[in-house]
Each structure stands twice: as structure tokens, then as C-alpha cells.
Short mmCIF file of all heavy atoms in Angstrom, two decimals:
data_model
loop_
_atom_site.label_atom_id
_atom_site.label_comp_id
_atom_site.label_asym_id
_atom_site.label_seq_id
_atom_site.Cartn_x
_atom_site.Cartn_y
_atom_site.Cartn_z
N GLY G 1 100.59 137.36 35.11
CA GLY G 1 101.06 136.54 36.22
C GLY G 1 100.98 137.25 37.56
O GLY G 1 101.46 136.73 38.56
N GLU G 2 100.37 138.43 37.59
CA GLU G 2 100.30 139.22 38.81
C GLU G 2 98.88 139.72 39.04
O GLU G 2 98.10 139.90 38.10
CB GLU G 2 101.26 140.41 38.74
CG GLU G 2 102.72 140.01 38.63
CD GLU G 2 103.64 141.23 38.57
OE1 GLU G 2 103.10 142.36 38.57
OE2 GLU G 2 104.86 141.04 38.53
N LEU G 3 98.58 139.98 40.32
CA LEU G 3 97.29 140.57 40.67
C LEU G 3 97.30 142.06 40.39
O LEU G 3 98.37 142.69 40.41
CB LEU G 3 97.00 140.34 42.16
CG LEU G 3 96.74 138.90 42.61
CD1 LEU G 3 96.75 138.82 44.13
CD2 LEU G 3 95.43 138.39 42.05
N PRO G 4 96.14 142.65 40.13
CA PRO G 4 96.10 144.11 39.91
C PRO G 4 96.51 144.86 41.17
O PRO G 4 96.39 144.35 42.30
CB PRO G 4 94.64 144.37 39.55
CG PRO G 4 93.89 143.18 40.05
CD PRO G 4 94.82 142.03 39.96
N SER G 5 96.97 146.06 41.00
CA SER G 5 97.53 146.83 42.12
C SER G 5 96.51 147.16 43.19
O SER G 5 96.85 147.37 44.35
CB SER G 5 98.16 148.13 41.58
OG SER G 5 97.18 148.90 40.88
N GLU G 6 95.22 147.22 42.80
CA GLU G 6 94.20 147.60 43.79
C GLU G 6 93.85 146.47 44.76
O GLU G 6 93.13 146.68 45.74
CB GLU G 6 92.93 148.09 43.10
CG GLU G 6 92.21 147.04 42.27
CD GLU G 6 92.62 147.06 40.80
OE1 GLU G 6 93.73 147.56 40.52
OE2 GLU G 6 91.84 146.59 39.96
N VAL G 7 94.33 145.26 44.49
CA VAL G 7 94.07 144.14 45.40
C VAL G 7 94.85 144.34 46.69
O VAL G 7 96.05 144.66 46.68
CB VAL G 7 94.45 142.81 44.73
CG1 VAL G 7 94.37 141.66 45.76
CG2 VAL G 7 93.54 142.51 43.56
N ILE G 8 94.20 144.15 47.82
CA ILE G 8 94.84 144.28 49.13
C ILE G 8 95.43 142.93 49.53
O ILE G 8 94.70 141.96 49.71
CB ILE G 8 93.84 144.76 50.20
CG1 ILE G 8 93.25 146.12 49.81
CG2 ILE G 8 94.51 144.84 51.56
CD1 ILE G 8 92.17 146.63 50.76
N LYS G 9 96.74 142.87 49.66
CA LYS G 9 97.41 141.63 50.02
C LYS G 9 97.66 141.59 51.53
O LYS G 9 98.21 142.53 52.11
CB LYS G 9 98.74 141.49 49.27
CG LYS G 9 98.56 141.38 47.75
CD LYS G 9 99.91 141.23 47.06
CE LYS G 9 99.74 141.15 45.55
NZ LYS G 9 101.05 141.03 44.85
N LEU G 10 97.24 140.50 52.14
CA LEU G 10 97.40 140.32 53.58
C LEU G 10 98.13 139.01 53.85
O LEU G 10 98.23 138.15 52.97
CB LEU G 10 96.03 140.31 54.27
CG LEU G 10 95.13 141.53 54.08
CD1 LEU G 10 93.79 141.30 54.77
CD2 LEU G 10 95.79 142.79 54.64
N ASP G 11 98.61 138.87 55.09
CA ASP G 11 99.14 137.56 55.48
C ASP G 11 97.96 136.70 55.95
O ASP G 11 96.85 137.20 56.15
CB ASP G 11 100.21 137.70 56.58
CG ASP G 11 99.68 138.35 57.85
OD1 ASP G 11 98.50 138.12 58.20
OD2 ASP G 11 100.43 139.08 58.50
N PRO G 12 98.16 135.39 56.09
CA PRO G 12 97.03 134.51 56.43
C PRO G 12 96.30 134.90 57.70
O PRO G 12 95.06 134.84 57.76
CB PRO G 12 97.69 133.14 56.57
CG PRO G 12 98.89 133.20 55.69
CD PRO G 12 99.39 134.61 55.81
N GLU G 13 97.03 135.31 58.74
CA GLU G 13 96.39 135.67 60.00
C GLU G 13 95.43 136.84 59.82
O GLU G 13 94.31 136.84 60.33
CB GLU G 13 97.44 136.00 61.06
CG GLU G 13 98.16 134.80 61.66
CD GLU G 13 99.18 134.19 60.70
OE1 GLU G 13 99.50 134.85 59.68
OE2 GLU G 13 99.64 133.07 60.94
N GLU G 14 95.88 137.86 59.06
CA GLU G 14 95.03 139.04 58.84
C GLU G 14 93.84 138.69 57.96
O GLU G 14 92.71 139.13 58.22
CB GLU G 14 95.86 140.15 58.18
CG GLU G 14 96.95 140.74 59.06
CD GLU G 14 97.80 141.75 58.32
OE1 GLU G 14 98.29 141.42 57.22
OE2 GLU G 14 97.96 142.87 58.83
N PHE G 15 94.08 137.91 56.93
CA PHE G 15 93.00 137.57 55.99
C PHE G 15 91.87 136.85 56.71
O PHE G 15 90.69 137.17 56.52
CB PHE G 15 93.57 136.68 54.88
CG PHE G 15 92.55 136.24 53.87
CD1 PHE G 15 92.35 136.97 52.71
CD2 PHE G 15 91.79 135.09 54.05
CE1 PHE G 15 91.41 136.57 51.76
CE2 PHE G 15 90.85 134.68 53.12
CZ PHE G 15 90.66 135.43 51.97
N TRP G 16 92.21 135.87 57.54
CA TRP G 16 91.17 135.03 58.16
C TRP G 16 90.52 135.66 59.38
O TRP G 16 89.60 135.06 59.95
CB TRP G 16 91.75 133.67 58.48
CG TRP G 16 92.01 132.86 57.24
CD1 TRP G 16 93.21 132.62 56.65
CD2 TRP G 16 91.03 132.22 56.41
NE1 TRP G 16 93.06 131.86 55.51
CE2 TRP G 16 91.73 131.60 55.35
CE3 TRP G 16 89.63 132.10 56.47
CZ2 TRP G 16 91.07 130.88 54.35
CZ3 TRP G 16 88.98 131.39 55.49
CH2 TRP G 16 89.68 130.78 54.45
N THR G 17 90.96 136.85 59.78
CA THR G 17 90.19 137.55 60.82
C THR G 17 88.86 138.00 60.25
O THR G 17 87.92 138.27 61.00
CB THR G 17 90.96 138.77 61.35
OG1 THR G 17 91.20 139.68 60.27
CG2 THR G 17 92.27 138.37 62.00
N GLY G 18 88.78 138.09 58.90
CA GLY G 18 87.54 138.48 58.26
C GLY G 18 87.28 139.97 58.27
O GLY G 18 86.20 140.42 57.89
N ASP G 19 88.26 140.75 58.70
CA ASP G 19 88.09 142.21 58.75
C ASP G 19 88.44 142.79 57.38
O ASP G 19 89.49 143.41 57.20
CB ASP G 19 88.98 142.79 59.84
CG ASP G 19 88.72 144.28 60.05
OD1 ASP G 19 87.66 144.76 59.59
OD2 ASP G 19 89.57 144.95 60.67
N TRP G 20 87.55 142.55 56.42
CA TRP G 20 87.80 142.98 55.05
C TRP G 20 87.24 144.37 54.78
O TRP G 20 86.39 144.87 55.51
CB TRP G 20 87.17 141.99 54.06
CG TRP G 20 87.70 140.59 54.17
CD1 TRP G 20 88.79 140.16 54.87
CD2 TRP G 20 87.15 139.43 53.55
NE1 TRP G 20 88.96 138.82 54.73
CE2 TRP G 20 87.97 138.33 53.92
CE3 TRP G 20 86.05 139.20 52.73
CZ2 TRP G 20 87.71 137.04 53.49
CZ3 TRP G 20 85.80 137.91 52.29
CH2 TRP G 20 86.63 136.83 52.66
N THR G 21 87.73 144.96 53.69
CA THR G 21 87.24 146.28 53.27
C THR G 21 86.19 146.10 52.17
O THR G 21 86.49 145.53 51.12
CB THR G 21 88.40 147.14 52.73
OG1 THR G 21 89.40 147.28 53.73
CG2 THR G 21 87.90 148.51 52.30
N PRO G 22 84.96 146.54 52.39
CA PRO G 22 83.94 146.41 51.35
C PRO G 22 84.35 147.12 50.06
O PRO G 22 84.93 148.21 50.09
CB PRO G 22 82.71 147.09 51.98
CG PRO G 22 82.94 146.98 53.45
CD PRO G 22 84.42 147.11 53.64
N GLY G 23 84.09 146.47 48.94
CA GLY G 23 84.45 147.05 47.65
C GLY G 23 85.89 146.79 47.25
O GLY G 23 86.34 147.28 46.20
N LYS G 24 86.64 146.03 48.05
CA LYS G 24 88.02 145.69 47.74
C LYS G 24 88.19 144.17 47.67
O LYS G 24 87.52 143.42 48.38
CB LYS G 24 88.97 146.26 48.80
CG LYS G 24 89.03 147.77 48.85
CD LYS G 24 89.71 148.34 47.59
CE LYS G 24 89.86 149.84 47.68
NZ LYS G 24 90.55 150.41 46.49
N ILE G 25 89.13 143.76 46.83
CA ILE G 25 89.49 142.34 46.73
C ILE G 25 90.65 142.09 47.67
O ILE G 25 91.66 142.81 47.64
CB ILE G 25 89.87 141.98 45.28
CG1 ILE G 25 88.71 142.25 44.34
CG2 ILE G 25 90.29 140.52 45.19
CD1 ILE G 25 89.07 142.13 42.86
N ILE G 26 90.52 141.09 48.52
CA ILE G 26 91.54 140.76 49.51
C ILE G 26 92.21 139.46 49.09
O ILE G 26 91.56 138.53 48.59
CB ILE G 26 90.91 140.59 50.91
CG1 ILE G 26 89.87 141.70 51.18
CG2 ILE G 26 91.99 140.59 51.99
CD1 ILE G 26 90.43 143.09 51.16
N ALA G 27 93.53 139.36 49.29
CA ALA G 27 94.24 138.17 48.81
C ALA G 27 95.38 137.77 49.73
O ALA G 27 95.98 138.61 50.41
CB ALA G 27 94.77 138.41 47.40
N VAL G 28 95.65 136.47 49.73
CA VAL G 28 96.85 135.90 50.33
C VAL G 28 97.57 135.17 49.20
O VAL G 28 96.99 134.29 48.56
CB VAL G 28 96.53 134.90 51.46
CG1 VAL G 28 97.81 134.29 52.01
CG2 VAL G 28 95.74 135.58 52.56
N ALA G 29 98.80 135.54 48.94
CA ALA G 29 99.49 135.00 47.77
C ALA G 29 100.78 134.27 48.16
O ALA G 29 101.55 134.74 49.00
CB ALA G 29 99.80 136.12 46.78
N THR G 30 100.99 133.10 47.55
CA THR G 30 102.26 132.40 47.61
C THR G 30 102.76 132.26 46.17
O THR G 30 102.17 132.79 45.24
CB THR G 30 102.12 131.02 48.27
OG1 THR G 30 101.24 130.20 47.46
CG2 THR G 30 101.54 131.15 49.67
N ARG G 31 103.83 131.52 46.01
CA ARG G 31 104.43 131.42 44.67
C ARG G 31 103.49 130.76 43.67
O ARG G 31 103.46 131.14 42.51
CB ARG G 31 105.74 130.63 44.76
CG ARG G 31 106.57 130.64 43.47
CD ARG G 31 107.92 130.02 43.71
NE ARG G 31 107.80 128.63 44.11
CZ ARG G 31 107.76 127.61 43.25
NH1 ARG G 31 107.81 127.84 41.95
NH2 ARG G 31 107.68 126.36 43.69
N ARG G 32 102.72 129.77 44.11
CA ARG G 32 101.88 129.01 43.18
C ARG G 32 100.39 129.10 43.48
O ARG G 32 99.58 128.61 42.69
CB ARG G 32 102.30 127.52 43.19
CG ARG G 32 103.71 127.27 42.71
CD ARG G 32 104.02 125.79 42.75
NE ARG G 32 103.18 125.05 41.82
CZ ARG G 32 103.53 124.79 40.56
NH1 ARG G 32 104.66 125.23 40.08
NH2 ARG G 32 102.72 124.10 39.78
N ASP G 33 100.02 129.71 44.59
CA ASP G 33 98.61 129.75 44.97
C ASP G 33 98.23 131.15 45.45
O ASP G 33 99.01 131.82 46.13
CB ASP G 33 98.32 128.74 46.08
CG ASP G 33 98.62 127.32 45.65
OD1 ASP G 33 97.86 126.79 44.83
OD2 ASP G 33 99.61 126.75 46.12
N ILE G 34 97.01 131.55 45.08
CA ILE G 34 96.47 132.84 45.52
C ILE G 34 95.06 132.62 46.04
O ILE G 34 94.18 132.15 45.32
CB ILE G 34 96.44 133.86 44.37
CG1 ILE G 34 97.84 134.09 43.81
CG2 ILE G 34 95.86 135.19 44.86
CD1 ILE G 34 97.86 134.99 42.59
N LEU G 35 94.87 132.94 47.31
CA LEU G 35 93.55 132.86 47.93
C LEU G 35 92.92 134.25 47.87
O LEU G 35 93.54 135.24 48.28
CB LEU G 35 93.68 132.39 49.38
CG LEU G 35 92.40 132.37 50.21
CD1 LEU G 35 91.42 131.33 49.66
CD2 LEU G 35 92.73 132.07 51.68
N VAL G 36 91.71 134.33 47.34
CA VAL G 36 91.04 135.61 47.14
C VAL G 36 89.71 135.61 47.89
O VAL G 36 88.99 134.61 47.92
CB VAL G 36 90.78 135.87 45.64
CG1 VAL G 36 89.87 137.08 45.44
CG2 VAL G 36 92.10 136.09 44.91
N GLY G 37 89.40 136.75 48.49
CA GLY G 37 88.12 136.90 49.17
C GLY G 37 87.60 138.31 49.01
O GLY G 37 88.38 139.26 48.88
N PHE G 38 86.29 138.47 49.02
CA PHE G 38 85.69 139.80 49.00
C PHE G 38 84.24 139.72 49.46
O PHE G 38 83.62 138.66 49.47
CB PHE G 38 85.79 140.46 47.61
CG PHE G 38 85.25 139.61 46.48
CD1 PHE G 38 83.90 139.64 46.14
CD2 PHE G 38 86.10 138.82 45.73
CE1 PHE G 38 83.40 138.88 45.09
CE2 PHE G 38 85.63 138.05 44.67
CZ PHE G 38 84.27 138.08 44.35
N TYR G 39 83.73 140.89 49.86
CA TYR G 39 82.34 140.99 50.30
C TYR G 39 81.43 141.15 49.09
O TYR G 39 81.77 141.80 48.10
CB TYR G 39 82.14 142.22 51.20
CG TYR G 39 82.54 142.03 52.64
CD1 TYR G 39 83.37 142.97 53.27
CD2 TYR G 39 82.06 140.97 53.39
CE1 TYR G 39 83.72 142.82 54.61
CE2 TYR G 39 82.41 140.82 54.72
CZ TYR G 39 83.24 141.75 55.32
OH TYR G 39 83.59 141.60 56.64
N VAL G 40 80.23 140.59 49.22
CA VAL G 40 79.18 140.78 48.23
C VAL G 40 77.93 141.25 48.97
O VAL G 40 77.58 140.70 50.03
CB VAL G 40 78.88 139.47 47.47
CG1 VAL G 40 77.59 139.59 46.67
CG2 VAL G 40 80.03 139.12 46.54
N ASN G 41 77.29 142.29 48.43
CA ASN G 41 76.04 142.78 49.00
C ASN G 41 74.89 142.01 48.37
O ASN G 41 74.52 142.24 47.22
CB ASN G 41 75.89 144.28 48.75
CG ASN G 41 74.63 144.84 49.37
OD1 ASN G 41 73.90 144.14 50.09
ND2 ASN G 41 74.36 146.12 49.11
N LYS G 42 74.33 141.07 49.12
CA LYS G 42 73.26 140.22 48.57
C LYS G 42 71.98 141.01 48.31
O LYS G 42 71.14 140.59 47.51
CB LYS G 42 72.97 139.08 49.55
CG LYS G 42 74.14 138.13 49.74
CD LYS G 42 73.80 137.02 50.71
CE LYS G 42 73.66 137.55 52.13
NZ LYS G 42 73.36 136.45 53.10
#
């Protein structure tokens, strides 16, 4: 029921600035919903 410890949790404002860390999973979490984002090297 929990995300792994290596996931970087941000608030919505920080998440949507798009300033993510390559190689890390970024998330915004509420009680029932978790939004996840990460970079992919195409």
C-alpha cells in the first residue's frame, strides 16, 4: 500500500514544474490517488 522509499514525493506545484531528476520516479500522492512521472531516454 506504499511507494518504495526511493520515489521522490513532491507537492503538485513542484511536480508540474517538470524539473525532474533523471533516473528517479517522481510522485504526488493523496489518500486514494498517486500521480507518477519519470523521464525516459528515447
Side-chain angles (χ1 to χ4, degrees):
E2 297 181 357
L3 292 169
S5 58
E6 64 267 22
V7 171
I8 301 176
K9 296 181 181 179
L10 303 176
D11 60 35
E13 285 74 13
E14 292 175 309
F15 179 93
W16 289 104
T17 60
D19 187 16
W20 300 349
T21 302
K24 294 291 184 178
I25 300 171
I26 317 299
V28 177
T30 63
R31 189 172 62 89
R32 297 180 64 92
D33 299 288
I34 301 175
L35 175 66
V36 170
F38 53 86
Y39 279 130
V40 167
N41 182 5
K42 296 180 291 182

